[in-house]
Amino acid sequence: MSEPTGKYSITMPRDIAEAAKTRGGPSGLSAYVAAAVARQIERDNLNELIQVGEAEHGPISQEESQALRDQLHHARRQTRDAA
């Protein structure tokens, strides 16, 4: 993360903080928490896009959803196999 940083105080359950510290390893707790928050923001943004899309076009069917998952898995396999 090359963005300027700030110092913040957060409160979380001790067991979660300790697990995050352990998993953060050499990068540290701050980097681990920042990455987790960034992933959550991405998910929130995607959920907002889905809500807008469904409001405009209706909900996606299970069949459409599965077809898109299959395409994604296929693309990932191709990318992995090409590496």
Side-chain angles (χ1 to χ4, degrees):
M1 290 186 186
S2 60
E3 295 290 321
T5 60
K7 189 168 184 158
Y8 303 93
S9 174
I10 62 168
T11 303
M12 70 175 75
R14 184 169 285 143
D15 60 332
I16 293 174
E18 291 303 319
K21 273 185 179 179
T22 300
R23 292 196 177 265
S27 297
L29 177 61
S30 292
Y32 190 85
V33 171
V37 171
R39 281 191 305 275
Q40 185 62 48
I41 290 169
E42 288 175 355
R43 288 180 179 140
D44 293 346
N45 289 340
L46 286 171
N47 283 331
E48 289 172 9
L49 286 173
I50 290 168
Q51 289 173 357
V52 168
E54 286 184 339
E56 290 181 20
H57 306 286
I60 188 168
S61 72
Q62 289 291 343
E63 293 79 18
E64 291 169 315
S65 181
Q66 188 58 50
L68 292 170
R69 280 189 190 97
D70 292 344
Q71 287 177 7
L72 179 60
H73 291 303
H74 179 72
R76 285 181 178 159
R77 275 193 302 273
Q78 285 183 322
T79 300
R80 183 188 64 224
D81 292 344

